[in-house]
Amino acid sequence: MDTKLLSRLDLLADNTLSVIFERNRLKDLKLDVEKYETNIQKNLSQLKDGIQQLEQQLSEEEQTDTTKDTKVDEDKLIQLQLKVDKLEALLGNQTDPAARDLLLGNNHKKSPRFTPIDTSQMENSQILQLQQRIIDDQDQDLDHLSEAIRRQRELGLMIGDELETHAILIDETEEMVDRTDERLRRAKKKLDYVGRKVKDNKSICIVIALILIFFILVALFR
């Protein structure tokens, strides 16, 4: 399997995740997210095509070389597919139960539970094999639990980042409001000052007018 292609796709998935977070943030602010939508859909298309190509390569390797252990590659491919599924869940309706289960890591298949087995008629080798199967299943369950906890932690961190971003935006908005309020107060003071000046000038004009009227009357009655 092309490990370089796998690495590029994994990096592309991480980059797409950050783009989706930015798109969701802007969408919450009622801003235009069209260019983000186009970029995200393009990345998802590349990821799906790449995964399909890797699956085909892995299938061909299994057919041509039956002795080769491809479990590690299969696990990596499964993890990449899970990343893509999470991206689509984040892009869509996160209140949907299926999407929420996917984000929380609750969508794995449950391991089958063994019913009590009578081992009295079994040979030691068979008992050991049975015990190994039980241990393997328990390990698998623990791996699933660990993966679910890890994903919940990642989701918690992502939500924390979103909240921190919103808190920063709120702080910036409050600062802008405070600055605007300060400007309004200064403008009001200037208006009050101009108003007082106008009143003072009005009084002076009245006094001058009265003096002029007085002199006119004196001149008329001489």
Side-chain angles (χ1 to χ4, degrees), residues 19 33-44:
V19 176
V33 294
E34 183 177 355
K35 65 176 182 179
Y36 291 93
E37 296 276 5
T38 303
N39 189 18
I40 291 168
Q41 293 300 333
K42 179 181 177 182
N43 290 353
L44 287 176

Side-chain angles (χ1 to χ4, degrees), residues 98-115:
R100 186 171 60 251
D101 288 343
L102 178 62
L103 291 172
L104 293 176
N106 298 329
N107 63 324
H108 62 269
K109 295 180 179 179
K110 300 291 184 180
S111 300
R113 299 292 180 183
F114 287 105
T115 56

Side-chain angles (χ1 to χ4, degrees), residues 2-14:
D2 189 349
T3 55
K4 290 184 178 179
L5 176 59
L6 179 63
S7 299
R8 288 199 301 270
L9 292 175
D10 193 61
L11 181 60
L12 179 61
D14 292 337

